[in-house]
Amino acid sequence: MKMKTTLNAIIFLCVTQFISCNSEQQGQSHVEIKEEPTLKENWWQIAAVPDLGEYNNDKMEPVDFAIWQAEDDTWQLVSCIRYCGENGDFRVLHRWEGQELTDTLWQPKGIFMMADSTLGEEHGWIQAPYVVQQNNVYKFFYGGGGQICLAEGTDGKHFQRQIQANGKTSIFEGEEYDRARDIMIMNYDNEYYGYYTGSIINSWPEDTKGAVFCRKSKDLKQWGEEVKVSETEENVVDFLSSECPQVIHRNGFFYLFKTQEYKPGEQRTTVFRSDNPLNFGIGTDSLKVKTLPISAPELFTYNGKHYMAALMPDLKGIRISELNWEGI
């Protein structure tokens, strides 16, 4: 009887220790882990300056863009092309298609969209698309000249503008700052967070302001109040200090990427880390993690790998590299 009691005690102790260790390991899997992004630098170019026919201009540059997979699994790229036309004074959206993510120089598909002033969009001013798939609908968000607009489609290639009750395509504008643009959307905790750039010019470049703002939505249709989430102190032109925001959630933290310089040889995107998706630092750079020598990034995952797309160093195309995350 004594031996049996001792054996039971040993078994109980082992089981207790196993449960305790297992609980600790499970708890560790939910511990917040600080990380920083590192580019693998295995870049491949997916797009160059397209032929726009009558709208060609030697100064043309592909800038802000969106990448996604269509219903038929082909890869889609739509980029704003700036400095179009004889006078280089307007923009269009152009589309490319790739069969595989790793293909180089995807096939140009022509002009995808131009601004429609009859629907309240600023003439000649269309930019910065972002695509979200919700259920069986692809939602194509874009800038319509100081406002965020929406088009929808079911195959991921063809879209129809969504005209609001007022006869316009705008779903919201900037409030505190003007020129709302560069929207991206993060799905977190059953809500959509729409991050975008806003800026003001009083006089160029001395008296300007620029910041990243956010609105939340449950359905991608009705959007809540505007919240300023990032305004930098770095030594940059303030109007351009918060371009092309990208926000992702990883291991308990949120990471904001925002471009602060486009110029060839000076491209700069700064990364901030926060435990609050609505605060990456206002009037402070204390949450800064690092700076990457790229501009206009878009982050995405595919087959378990992380990728970053960005502009070519000379602003004459778009490229992709794998992205690693390292604990610090």
Side-chain angles (χ1 to χ4, degrees), residues 58-193:
D58 291 341
K59 295 181 179 180
M60 291 192 313
E61 296 171 342
V63 282
D64 316 71
F65 59 87
I67 294 176
W68 71 96
Q69 274 190 291
E71 183 68 19
D72 63 3
D73 291 332
T74 57
W75 287 90
Q76 305 296 308
L77 164 65
V78 170
S79 173
C80 168
I81 312 298
R82 66 181 180 182
Y83 305 143
C84 298
E86 182 178 357
N87 298 317
D89 58 355
F90 70 96
R91 303 177 177 215
V92 304
L93 298 183
H94 185 279
R95 182 171 74 93
W96 292 260
E97 182 172 290
Q99 298 302 309
E100 302 291 341
L101 178 62
T102 52
D103 289 348
T104 58
L105 296 178
W106 297 358
Q107 184 179 4
K109 292 294 184 177
I111 293 177
F112 179 75
M113 189 182 289
M114 300 178 71
D116 187 342
S117 58
T118 67
L119 297 176
E121 298 170 9
E122 184 176 338
H123 176 70
W125 201 265
I126 191 169
Q127 64 186 128
Y130 194 83
V131 175
V132 176
Q133 189 173 9
Q134 183 190 45
N135 300 324
N136 295 319
V137 178
Y138 290 84
K139 295 182 178 290
F140 185 92
F141 295 86
Y142 62 98
Q147 57 195 329
I148 305 302
C149 305
L150 174 64
E152 294 183 355
T154 57
D155 66 355
K157 296 183 183 183
H158 304 90
F159 295 84
Q160 288 188 330
R161 283 175 163 92
Q162 298 301 293
I163 301 174
Q164 308 302 307
N166 61 2
K168 299 180 179 180
T169 53
S170 175
I171 57 174
F172 63 78
E173 301 178 1
E175 294 181 4
E176 182 176 354
Y177 292 177
D178 195 8
R179 309 305 298 177
R181 62 194 185 279
D182 298 2
I183 189 170
M184 74 82 54
I185 296 170
M186 177 187 70
N187 189 346
Y188 172 70
D189 198 21
N190 297 317
E191 284 191 290
Y192 294 97
Y193 289 66

Side-chain angles (χ1 to χ4, degrees), residues 296-310:
E298 178 152 343
L299 282 70
F300 60 98
T301 59
Y302 178 63
N303 285 346
K305 289 186 176 181
H306 303 279
Y307 296 92
M308 174 186 284

Side-chain angles (χ1 to χ4, degrees), residues 234 268 270-273 280 285-291:
E234 293 204 34
R268 178 169 62 178
T270 304
V271 184
F272 300 82
R273 179 179 54 242
F280 293 93
D285 296 319
S286 61
L287 298 178
K288 176 180 174 179
V289 175
K290 68 186 304 183
T291 298

